Amino acid sequence: MQESSSETESFARYFTGTSELQIPELSVKALFEAGAHYGHRKTVWNPKCKDFIFDIVDGVTIINLDITVHYWEKARKFIQDKASTGGRILFVGTKEISRSIVQQSASYCGEFYCVNRWLGGTLTNFITIRRSIAKLKDLETLISKAEDVSEDVWLTKKELVRLKRQVEKLNNSLGGIRDMTDLPALLIVFDIRKDITAVREANKLQIPIVGIVDTNVDPGMVTFPIPCNDDSPKALEILALNIADAVLRGKRE
């Protein structure tokens, strides 16, 4: 995935000059300043979110950030516990505003990610997905040998271009899970409405989900809902980095 310089700089500003990240505070104040409290208009809200709503102002639902922090603490403990027992985690965030930070946060804590298009059956038909991953790696090996003059493999320029396009297409869908040899122990979903297929597959396989829940969705679809404006890049950034930190803390235990 091609990242814009602004997206890269957004993540880079959290580095302290070493490989360590300065994790942003996840507090009511920080979330408020990030606009995490803005929900959807009441005309499109899901009544099942009523317990997360503090007020309705000019027809717009306002999320109670005290509840957000409370639910985050429950999710954080679960994430940390999963990581501490060796459970692998899959970050899912295919919405354009969250792709970069989701990928970078997952990579930072050494976990898997899906930030482009969720392929139907990624979880429920994982055997087929593994075949596609094997094909991707085989194509990469073939291209590498064809470009190495010491190898006895020859391809025309046209064939090389065609194979590289195939690799690029496969990498867009599978690059973040290419080393995932088994089903994940946990999904982190940054927009459960956008990535509803991933949510349904995880539920079918009884894989727990930590999900960012805006006021237009059913929080019952995920195991650990975190009420938050899922259209605020800054709020998603705070959550993603704190999730990555929880994973690393769990791995260190």
PDB file of all heavy atoms in Angstrom, residues 138-152:
ATOM      1  N   ASP A 138       5.272 -18.175  -4.303  1.00  0.00           N
ATOM      2  CA  ASP A 138       5.871 -18.863  -5.452  1.00  0.00           C
ATOM      3  C   ASP A 138       6.145 -17.881  -6.592  1.00  0.00           C
ATOM      4  O   ASP A 138       7.202 -17.953  -7.245  1.00  0.00           O
ATOM      5  CB  ASP A 138       4.945 -19.971  -5.953  1.00  0.00           C
ATOM      6  CG  ASP A 138       4.899 -21.173  -5.013  1.00  0.00           C
ATOM      7  OD1 ASP A 138       5.792 -21.269  -4.146  1.00  0.00           O
ATOM      8  OD2 ASP A 138       3.962 -21.986  -5.138  1.00  0.00           O
ATOM      9  N   LEU A 139       5.198 -16.990  -6.838  1.00  0.00           N
ATOM     10  CA  LEU A 139       5.387 -15.989  -7.892  1.00  0.00           C
ATOM     11  C   LEU A 139       6.549 -15.056  -7.565  1.00  0.00           C
ATOM     12  O   LEU A 139       7.344 -14.702  -8.447  1.00  0.00           O
ATOM     13  CB  LEU A 139       4.100 -15.181  -8.085  1.00  0.00           C
ATOM     14  CG  LEU A 139       2.928 -15.900  -8.767  1.00  0.00           C
ATOM     15  CD1 LEU A 139       1.682 -15.020  -8.757  1.00  0.00           C
ATOM     16  CD2 LEU A 139       3.288 -16.275 -10.196  1.00  0.00           C
ATOM     17  N   GLU A 140       6.664 -14.656  -6.322  1.00  0.00           N
ATOM     18  CA  GLU A 140       7.778 -13.782  -5.904  1.00  0.00           C
ATOM     19  C   GLU A 140       9.121 -14.484  -6.107  1.00  0.00           C
ATOM     20  O   GLU A 140      10.094 -13.866  -6.548  1.00  0.00           O
ATOM     21  CB  GLU A 140       7.606 -13.370  -4.441  1.00  0.00           C
ATOM     22  CG  GLU A 140       6.482 -12.375  -4.219  1.00  0.00           C
ATOM     23  CD  GLU A 140       6.266 -12.035  -2.754  1.00  0.00           C
ATOM     24  OE1 GLU A 140       6.577 -12.890  -1.889  1.00  0.00           O
ATOM     25  OE2 GLU A 140       5.792 -10.928  -2.470  1.00  0.00           O
ATOM     26  N   THR A 141       9.158 -15.776  -5.794  1.00  0.00           N
ATOM     27  CA  THR A 141      10.391 -16.548  -5.990  1.00  0.00           C
ATOM     28  C   THR A 141      10.735 -16.645  -7.467  1.00  0.00           C
ATOM     29  O   THR A 141      11.902 -16.485  -7.867  1.00  0.00           O
ATOM     30  CB  THR A 141      10.238 -17.966  -5.399  1.00  0.00           C
ATOM     31  OG1 THR A 141       9.964 -17.861  -4.001  1.00  0.00           O
ATOM     32  CG2 THR A 141      11.506 -18.781  -5.608  1.00  0.00           C
ATOM     33  N   LEU A 142       9.733 -16.893  -8.295  1.00  0.00           N
ATOM     34  CA  LEU A 142       9.945 -17.004  -9.738  1.00  0.00           C
ATOM     35  C   LEU A 142      10.475 -15.695 -10.310  1.00  0.00           C
ATOM     36  O   LEU A 142      11.424 -15.687 -11.111  1.00  0.00           O
ATOM     37  CB  LEU A 142       8.636 -17.398 -10.427  1.00  0.00           C
ATOM     38  CG  LEU A 142       8.666 -17.513 -11.962  1.00  0.00           C
ATOM     39  CD1 LEU A 142       9.680 -18.558 -12.403  1.00  0.00           C
ATOM     40  CD2 LEU A 142       7.276 -17.852 -12.492  1.00  0.00           C
ATOM     41  N   ILE A 143       9.880 -14.588  -9.906  1.00  0.00           N
ATOM     42  CA  ILE A 143      10.326 -13.274 -10.398  1.00  0.00           C
ATOM     43  C   ILE A 143      11.755 -12.992  -9.960  1.00  0.00           C
ATOM     44  O   ILE A 143      12.588 -12.503 -10.737  1.00  0.00           O
ATOM     45  CB  ILE A 143       9.373 -12.170  -9.883  1.00  0.00           C
ATOM     46  CG1 ILE A 143       8.008 -12.286 -10.574  1.00  0.00           C
ATOM     47  CG2 ILE A 143       9.966 -10.784 -10.128  1.00  0.00           C
ATOM     48  CD1 ILE A 143       6.941 -11.400  -9.963  1.00  0.00           C
ATOM     49  N   SER A 144      12.056 -13.312  -8.704  1.00  0.00           N
ATOM     50  CA  SER A 144      13.402 -13.087  -8.184  1.00  0.00           C
ATOM     51  C   SER A 144      14.442 -13.878  -8.979  1.00  0.00           C
ATOM     52  O   SER A 144      15.514 -13.356  -9.323  1.00  0.00           O
ATOM     53  CB  SER A 144      13.458 -13.484  -6.707  1.00  0.00           C
ATOM     54  OG  SER A 144      14.759 -13.338  -6.197  1.00  0.00           O
ATOM     55  N   LYS A 145      14.109 -15.122  -9.297  1.00  0.00           N
ATOM     56  CA  LYS A 145      15.047 -15.947 -10.071  1.00  0.00           C
ATOM     57  C   LYS A 145      15.184 -15.435 -11.496  1.00  0.00           C
ATOM     58  O   LYS A 145      16.273 -15.464 -12.079  1.00  0.00           O
ATOM     59  CB  LYS A 145      14.565 -17.401 -10.074  1.00  0.00           C
ATOM     60  CG  LYS A 145      14.746 -18.112  -8.738  1.00  0.00           C
ATOM     61  CD  LYS A 145      14.290 -19.561  -8.822  1.00  0.00           C
ATOM     62  CE  LYS A 145      14.546 -20.282  -7.505  1.00  0.00           C
ATOM     63  NZ  LYS A 145      14.113 -21.704  -7.551  1.00  0.00           N
ATOM     64  N   ALA A 146      14.071 -14.973 -12.077  1.00  0.00           N
ATOM     65  CA  ALA A 146      14.113 -14.467 -13.454  1.00  0.00           C
ATOM     66  C   ALA A 146      14.958 -13.202 -13.556  1.00  0.00           C
ATOM     67  O   ALA A 146      15.559 -12.941 -14.604  1.00  0.00           O
ATOM     68  CB  ALA A 146      12.695 -14.196 -13.945  1.00  0.00           C
ATOM     69  N   GLU A 147      15.014 -12.426 -12.487  1.00  0.00           N
ATOM     70  CA  GLU A 147      15.786 -11.182 -12.500  1.00  0.00           C
ATOM     71  C   GLU A 147      17.234 -11.385 -12.061  1.00  0.00           C
ATOM     72  O   GLU A 147      18.032 -10.458 -12.107  1.00  0.00           O
ATOM     73  CB  GLU A 147      15.098 -10.143 -11.596  1.00  0.00           C
ATOM     74  CG  GLU A 147      13.752  -9.691 -12.134  1.00  0.00           C
ATOM     75  CD  GLU A 147      13.065  -8.672 -11.243  1.00  0.00           C
ATOM     76  OE1 GLU A 147      13.279  -8.706 -10.012  1.00  0.00           O
ATOM     77  OE2 GLU A 147      12.303  -7.831 -11.782  1.00  0.00           O
ATOM     78  N   ASP A 148      17.557 -12.599 -11.636  1.00  0.00           N
ATOM     79  CA  ASP A 148      18.918 -12.920 -11.199  1.00  0.00           C
ATOM     80  C   ASP A 148      19.643 -13.625 -12.344  1.00  0.00           C
ATOM     81  O   ASP A 148      19.275 -14.737 -12.745  1.00  0.00           O
ATOM     82  CB  ASP A 148      18.856 -13.825  -9.964  1.00  0.00           C
ATOM     83  CG  ASP A 148      20.228 -14.070  -9.356  1.00  0.00           C
ATOM     84  OD1 ASP A 148      21.237 -13.813 -10.030  1.00  0.00           O
ATOM     85  OD2 ASP A 148      20.282 -14.539  -8.199  1.00  0.00           O
ATOM     86  N   VAL A 149      20.670 -12.988 -12.872  1.00  0.00           N
ATOM     87  CA  VAL A 149      21.366 -13.536 -14.047  1.00  0.00           C
ATOM     88  C   VAL A 149      22.054 -14.866 -13.736  1.00  0.00           C
ATOM     89  O   VAL A 149      22.371 -15.638 -14.649  1.00  0.00           O
ATOM     90  CB  VAL A 149      22.406 -12.524 -14.579  1.00  0.00           C
ATOM     91  CG1 VAL A 149      21.715 -11.301 -15.153  1.00  0.00           C
ATOM     92  CG2 VAL A 149      23.395 -12.133 -13.484  1.00  0.00           C
ATOM     93  N   SER A 150      22.301 -15.141 -12.462  1.00  0.00           N
ATOM     94  CA  SER A 150      22.969 -16.391 -12.097  1.00  0.00           C
ATOM     95  C   SER A 150      22.008 -17.582 -12.070  1.00  0.00           C
ATOM     96  O   SER A 150      22.431 -18.730 -11.980  1.00  0.00           O
ATOM     97  CB  SER A 150      23.645 -16.259 -10.730  1.00  0.00           C
ATOM     98  OG  SER A 150      22.676 -16.093  -9.704  1.00  0.00           O
ATOM     99  N   GLU A 151      20.715 -17.292 -12.132  1.00  0.00           N
ATOM    100  CA  GLU A 151      19.706 -18.347 -12.121  1.00  0.00           C
ATOM    101  C   GLU A 151      19.331 -18.743 -13.546  1.00  0.00           C
ATOM    102  O   GLU A 151      19.330 -17.921 -14.460  1.00  0.00           O
ATOM    103  CB  GLU A 151      18.444 -17.885 -11.372  1.00  0.00           C
ATOM    104  CG  GLU A 151      18.647 -17.630  -9.896  1.00  0.00           C
ATOM    105  CD  GLU A 151      18.727 -18.924  -9.092  1.00  0.00           C
ATOM    106  OE1 GLU A 151      18.382 -19.993  -9.641  1.00  0.00           O
ATOM    107  OE2 GLU A 151      19.140 -18.854  -7.923  1.00  0.00           O
ATOM    108  N   ASP A 152      19.012 -20.009 -13.724  1.00  0.00           N
ATOM    109  CA  ASP A 152      18.661 -20.526 -15.056  1.00  0.00           C
ATOM    110  C   ASP A 152      17.155 -20.406 -15.298  1.00  0.00           C
ATOM    111  O   ASP A 152      16.471 -21.388 -15.585  1.00  0.00           O
ATOM    112  CB  ASP A 152      19.106 -21.989 -15.165  1.00  0.00           C
ATOM    113  CG  ASP A 152      19.012 -22.496 -16.602  1.00  0.00           C
ATOM    114  OD1 ASP A 152      19.025 -21.657 -17.520  1.00  0.00           O
ATOM    115  OD2 ASP A 152      18.895 -23.728 -16.785  1.00  0.00           O
TER     116      ASP A 152
END
